[in-house]
Amino acid sequence: MDFDAALQAGSQCVHAGMPEFELAGPLSPSPEFATAYHQDLDDVAPTIYGRWGHTAADRLEVALGALDQGRSVVFNSGMAAVSAVLLGLLRPGDKLVLFEGGTYYETRQISDQLIDRGVTVQVLAGVDELRAAVVGARLVVLESPSNPLLDLYDVRAAARVAHAAGALVAVDNSVSSPLGQCPLALGADLVMSSDAKVVCGHNDLILGHVSGRDGELIETIRHWRHLHGGIPSPFVCWLAHRSIGTLEVRLLRQNANAAALVELLAGRPEVAGLRWPGSARDPQRAIADRQMKLGGGLLTFQLPDRAHLHRFLRSSRLVSAATSYGGLQTTANDIGAWPHLRVPDGLVRISAGCEDTQDLVTDIRRALDAALPVSVHSYAAPNAHGVTG
Ligand SMILES: Cc1ncc(COP(=O)(O)O)c(C=O)c1O
């Protein structure tokens, strides 16, 4: 069940963790639905129990480890993975450093709970502040690109500064996925991911994982999962592993669709503040070039106000208003509706799906036209919400 480190990421997606060759054996694994296993009465050591581990999780961990270039531990959600890192590694008296814009809201909420448990938490505006802040820290957490604003943080620079001060670095890689960016290769100690997003990619699974290269650190995380019961079921692991087979194909289509949408949006006068890490015009393109392999499927931009944004979304047939991202279907989030973010009304995050590129561009162009304040338009087909434009 080992993986061949010489293979490219796309081949790892297809082959890592799959059954070994066996004459007349299956090419694909099947989940084993057992919580208890027959025990050897003379040797209790190899006792197996479903909360401690199972074959479908082992196989999925081989695949994710191959993609992250480390060893992985799977969890039943992204937040379970984040919790294992924050709560499993930090003790009273430790210091945690994180970034104002670059931390998922619920990760921030966990850090607030840590303050009540005696952990010092310092929140920074940017990597420039890290050198002074990291003194005495145990852990630095960053998220790049950040969800939902797609701000980038220089992972290599952060790891260099943090390591010089003896701190660990954990990177939330949910937005990019291991194919878009490999934080362990950039110097991070741990990667955390919500795999409900790009990794599983079908808007139908909740899953997360943590990866690292240091055996002791990974065993600490695994032991946390063992005690806290965070292992996903065999069925979910099997389905996730199956989904990863097409990860590269999906991501390349999402990336191409995002690139085409950026071309369209860049020429629209009602669009401002367009962000996509893959764009030559993105203000943080230099950081993207240093650490990202692909821009990915997420982009954000500003429409004049919320009413305009809602007209746009109601006019589209292919874009569904929905939270989450990275799935087959193109989705959009009204970011301004999240009060904790304090961003202007009309800011939208689009997650480009795997639809045909021309169909998506045509649909979004028509929806933007239909959303213009004074417009005479003929596009009135029912959209994904059953609403006509
Ligand atoms: C960047 C990031 N981290 C963590 C999470 C939490 O993951 P989950 O919803 O799988 O628990 C999310 C979910 O949106 C996310 O976008």
Side-chain angles (χ1 to χ4, degrees), residues 255-309:
N255 188 74
N257 281 352
L261 292 181
V262 164
E263 277 314 300
L264 166 71
L265 295 166
R268 300 285 305 200
E270 74 274 39
V271 168
L274 184 56
R275 294 292 312 267
W276 180 54
S279 165
R281 292 179 285 249
D282 190 83
Q284 291 188 300
R285 178 59 192 247
I287 298 180
D289 280 346
R290 285 204 290 278
Q291 63 192 30
M292 295 181 73
K293 297 180 240 178
L294 278 175
L298 261 65
L299 50 114
T300 60
F301 58 95
Q302 177 77 50
L303 286 171
D305 52 40
R306 176 163 295 138
H308 195 125
L309 169 59

Side-chain angles (χ1 to χ4, degrees), residues 326-349:
L328 290 178
Q329 301 94 340
T330 297
T331 53
N333 257 112
D334 174 358
I335 306 176
W338 298 344
H340 61 274
L341 282 173
R342 289 183 228 103
V343 295
D345 278 358
L347 192 67
V348 60
R349 182 196 69 200

